[in-house]
Amino acid sequence: MTDVRACQVKPEELKEIVSAYKDTSEVKKVQSAGLHVAGDRYVVIKADDRSLYGKKGKTGILIVKTTQAILISHYPETVQPGAAATTVEQLADYLIGVGY
C-alpha cells in the first residue's frame, strides 16, 4: 500500500471497523480475527472504545474515532509506529475539541 489509490477502504471493510467499535466484549472479536483495510489483513494490537491499531509486517494502520468521524491512517515502514500513533491521536483530540 504505497499510493493513495491503494489506500481506499471498501464498504465491507468499513462495516468491519464499525462492528469492532460496537463490540463491547472485553476481548473484541477483531483482536483474534484481524482487521482488513484496502484489501490487506492487519493483526490488531490495540482495540478499545476509541482506537484500533493494526500491524502488517513493518507497516500498520491506526484507526481513531472522534465525535463525528473515523480517522483511518496508514504508516509505512519508514515511520515509527509510536510517532504515527501520537500524530493521529493528537489530530483526533483536536477534532474532538472542536466538536468534530
Side-chain angles (χ1 to χ4, degrees):
M1 206 175 352
T2 56
D3 88 30
V4 174
R5 291 168 295 179
C7 223
Q8 294 179 358
V9 181
K10 298 173 184 146
E12 61 271 13
E13 294 170 338
L14 192 53
K15 286 180 186 176
E16 192 177 327
I17 292 167
V18 171
S19 292
Y21 280 117
K22 289 182 177 180
D23 184 351
T24 58
S25 55
E26 189 170 323
V27 177
K28 295 178 182 258
K29 179 183 173 187
V30 72
Q31 289 173 287
S32 60
L35 192 60
H36 298 85
V37 175
D40 291 326
R41 182 184 180 276
Y42 292 86
V43 175
V44 175
I45 56 175
K46 178 181 178 178
D48 60 31
D49 293 340
R50 173 179 155 134
S51 304
L52 300 169
Y53 292 7
K55 197 144 176 65
K56 179 183 176 200
K58 294 181 179 181
T59 67
I61 55 164
L62 304 162
I63 303 171
V64 184
K65 182 174 69 167
T66 71
T67 309
Q68 297 182 42
I70 296 176
L71 306 177
I72 302 173
S73 174
H74 173 266
Y75 62 88
E77 60 184 71
T78 57
V79 174
Q80 291 294 320
T86 298
T87 301
V88 176
E89 293 284 356
Q90 287 177 345
L91 176 57
D93 288 340
Y94 170 76
L95 292 171
I96 290 167
V98 296
Y100 192 77

